[in-house]
């Protein structure tokens, strides 16, 4: 029997980077046993199965943790409440990392293993998110990052995999690097690294092109309670099911493709392509509802809070007390974000066409062109005194110029 200190727990996706980590942990890092854990946050079932199969071939003690509902409820919904967005990206990859790290740490505690390994490169954001996530749950954790520590390249990894009988799908020609979960699909690599190269149709799997999208618009309604979706078209589903339903509805209408230049934590600018159909619709609907029920000052201030929250979420600082502080404000506002939003999905667009709430700070009687409840004449004094200081400034300018 191997001792706990002879074991290392590898955060495992079944992809190339993490697969080569298995023989590396044994040959180069001196561990007798490798435990692999794959956290299911909604990546394709085939990937989950393949990870388990490879783990079996490579002889690790393997665990799959189904975290789909928890991921949606605690992470995706938190992002909806905070209008989570980083440079136009709903942070689908980013918000999955903390839960993956937390589940790995939980597994480590259960097995009494204190050493961890992950396959993140030294150029990306995931190394920060995963390591912070593990260390916030287990401060004494030892964490290995072989790809970063050995400055590994992809071609070296492919060679090493071949030499060590690690089954791989990758070849130097199979170029897309894909990360997928319920909240979105990230596609990088190959010619996408040229910012002026238009993304080829083959990179997309969840969204139809505008040309192939449904010819007829899809009208939907989303019901919200406490700032999160509870049903679509009045039909209640679990959080994860709601996201899957919306991914399909929006994706079929070509909604949710994102092509941006993104500033990584290290300062590198990278070109990123995403498909986030469900997230795009939910976020837009949520904002529309907030605009109906929150006060003008709440909306203005919340935009700042949301942006701060999003920066923390992008960086994977999920257990930063600053995030809890921000959420105290966010969650207080969300107690009134109840109601319904009507949306029209059509040829790559997602348009809000209606909203209602019993918390609406809206009175048709006051705002209507045809009512007299709001006595217009009473506005005269307010309008006359509006902009008093800037007007004073202009008269001073005039006067002082003459005096020069
Ligand atoms: N740039 C994104 C982020 O840091 C996503 C990275 C996705 N990774 C990938 N292998 N496609 O959140």
């Amino acid at each position: 029997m191997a001792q706990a200190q002879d074991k290392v727990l590898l955060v495992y996706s079944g992809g190339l980077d993490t697969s080569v980590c298995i023989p590396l942990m044994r040959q180069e890092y001196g561990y007798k046993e490798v435990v692999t854990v794959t956290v299911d946050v909604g990546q394709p079932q085939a990937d989950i199965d393949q990870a388990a199969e490879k783990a079996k071939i490579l002889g690790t003690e393997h665990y799959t943790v189904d975290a789909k509902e928890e991921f949606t409820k605690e992470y995706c919904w938190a992002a909806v409440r905070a209008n989570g967005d980083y440079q136009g990206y709903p942070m689908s990859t980013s918000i999955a990392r903390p839960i993956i790290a937390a589940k790995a740490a939980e597994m480590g505690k259960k097995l009494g293993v204190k050493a961890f390994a992950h396959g993140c490169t030294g150029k990306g954001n995931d190394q920060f998110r995963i390591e912070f996530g593990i260390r916030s749950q287990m401060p004494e954790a030892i964490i290995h990052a072989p790809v970063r520590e050995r400055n590994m390249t992809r071609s070296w990894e492919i060679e090493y995999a071949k030499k060590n009988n690690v089954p791989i799908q990758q070849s130097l020609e199979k170029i897309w690097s894909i990360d997928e979960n319920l909240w979105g699909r990230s596609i990088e690599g190959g010619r996408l690294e040229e910012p002026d190269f238009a993304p080829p149709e083959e990179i997309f799997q969840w969204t139809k092109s505008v040309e192939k999208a449904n010819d007829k618009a899809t009208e939907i309604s989303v019901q919200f309670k406490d700032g999160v979706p509870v049903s679509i078209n009045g039909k209640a589903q679990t959080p994860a099911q709601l996201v899957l339903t919306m991914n399909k509805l929006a994706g079929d209408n070509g909604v949710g493709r994102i092509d941006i230049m993104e500033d990584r934590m290290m300062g590198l600018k990278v070109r990123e392509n995403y498909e986030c159909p469900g997230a795009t619709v939910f976020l837009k609907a949520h904002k529309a509802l907030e605009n109906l029920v929150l006060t003008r000052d709440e909306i203005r201030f919340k935009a700042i809070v949301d942006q701060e929250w999003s920066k923390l979420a992008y960086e994977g600082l999920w257990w930063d007390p600053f995030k809890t502080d921000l959420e105290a404000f966010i969650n207080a506002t969300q107690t009134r974000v109840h109601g319904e939003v009507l949306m029209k999905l059509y040829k790559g667009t997602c348009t809000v066409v209606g909203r209602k709430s019993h918390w609406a700070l809206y009175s048709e009687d006051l705002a209507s062109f045809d009512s007299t409840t709001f006595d217009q004449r009473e506005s005269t004094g307010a309008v006359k005194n509006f902009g008093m200081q800037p007007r004073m400034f202009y008269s001073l300018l005039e006067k002082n110029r003459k005096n020069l």
Side-chain angles (χ1 to χ4, degrees), residues 16-17 20-21 24 29 121 123 145-157 160:
L16 177 65
D17 290 326
V20 297
C21 285
L24 268 170
Y29 286 75
T121 73
K123 293 185 184 176
V147 179
R148 179 181 74 211
E149 285 156 13
R150 286 162 194 252
N151 212 1
M152 276 152 48
T153 60
R154 203 176 219 194
S155 34
W156 185 90
E157 289 178 35
Y160 182 81

Side-chain angles (χ1 to χ4, degrees), residues 161-223:
K162 282 184 187 151
K163 250 187 270 161
N164 289 279
N165 302 318
V166 176
I168 51 163
Q169 291 78 43
Q170 271 90 353
S171 64
L172 276 176
E173 294 83 57
K174 190 77 206 139
I175 15 93
W176 315 122
S177 163
I178 292 162
D179 178 68
E180 201 168 318
N181 64 55
L182 284 161
W183 208 229
R185 200 169 161 267
S186 314
I187 314 108
E188 298 175 314
R191 288 202 66 193
L192 291 173
E193 290 174 355
E194 301 165 38
D196 59 347
F197 174 77
E201 203 43 44
E202 65 161 277
I203 70 164
F204 301 109
Q205 263 177 28
W206 292 8
T207 55
K208 290 188 182 165
S209 64
V210 170
E211 292 81 5
K212 294 227 173 83
N214 297 347
D215 285 321
K216 244 182 100 251
T218 308
E219 301 215 7
I220 55 159
S221 66
V222 186
Q223 289 72 36

Side-chain angles (χ1 to χ4, degrees), residues 37-112:
V37 60
T38 302
V39 182
D40 180 358
V41 281
Q43 58 274 52
Q45 189 56 43
D47 289 9
I48 305 273
D49 295 343
Q50 204 183 66
E53 233 166 83
K54 275 196 195 174
K56 199 167 174 191
I57 297 169
L58 297 165
T60 71
E61 177 184 333
H62 182 72
Y63 299 92
T64 305
V65 180
D66 180 355
K68 292 193 284 291
E69 289 295 345
E70 187 182 337
F71 172 58
T72 315
K73 199 157 166 266
E74 306 298 333
Y75 294 74
C76 304
W77 280 181
V80 171
R81 281 194 291 267
N83 298 308
D85 172 271
Y86 179 80
Q87 299 185 332
Y89 157 48
M91 304 188 292
S92 43
T93 292
S94 332
I95 61 170
R97 297 325 187 209
I99 189 170
I100 292 172
K103 294 293 165 196
E106 200 178 294
M107 185 66 73
K109 279 185 194 160
K110 207 153 79 188
L111 303 173

Side-chain angles (χ1 to χ4, degrees), residues 123-136:
K123 293 185 184 176
N125 301 320
D126 286 340
Q127 51 183 338
F128 293 97
R129 300 167 179 153
I130 296 280
E131 295 196 21
F132 172 79
I134 295 174
R135 288 197 180 97
S136 26

Side-chain angles (χ1 to χ4, degrees), residues 342-357:
L342 310 175
M343 315 276 291
K344 190 168 171 173
L345 313 175
Y346 181 60
K347 293 272 183 203
T349 65
C350 140
T351 315
V352 175
V353 292
R355 70 289 276 158
K356 69 175 176 209
S357 169

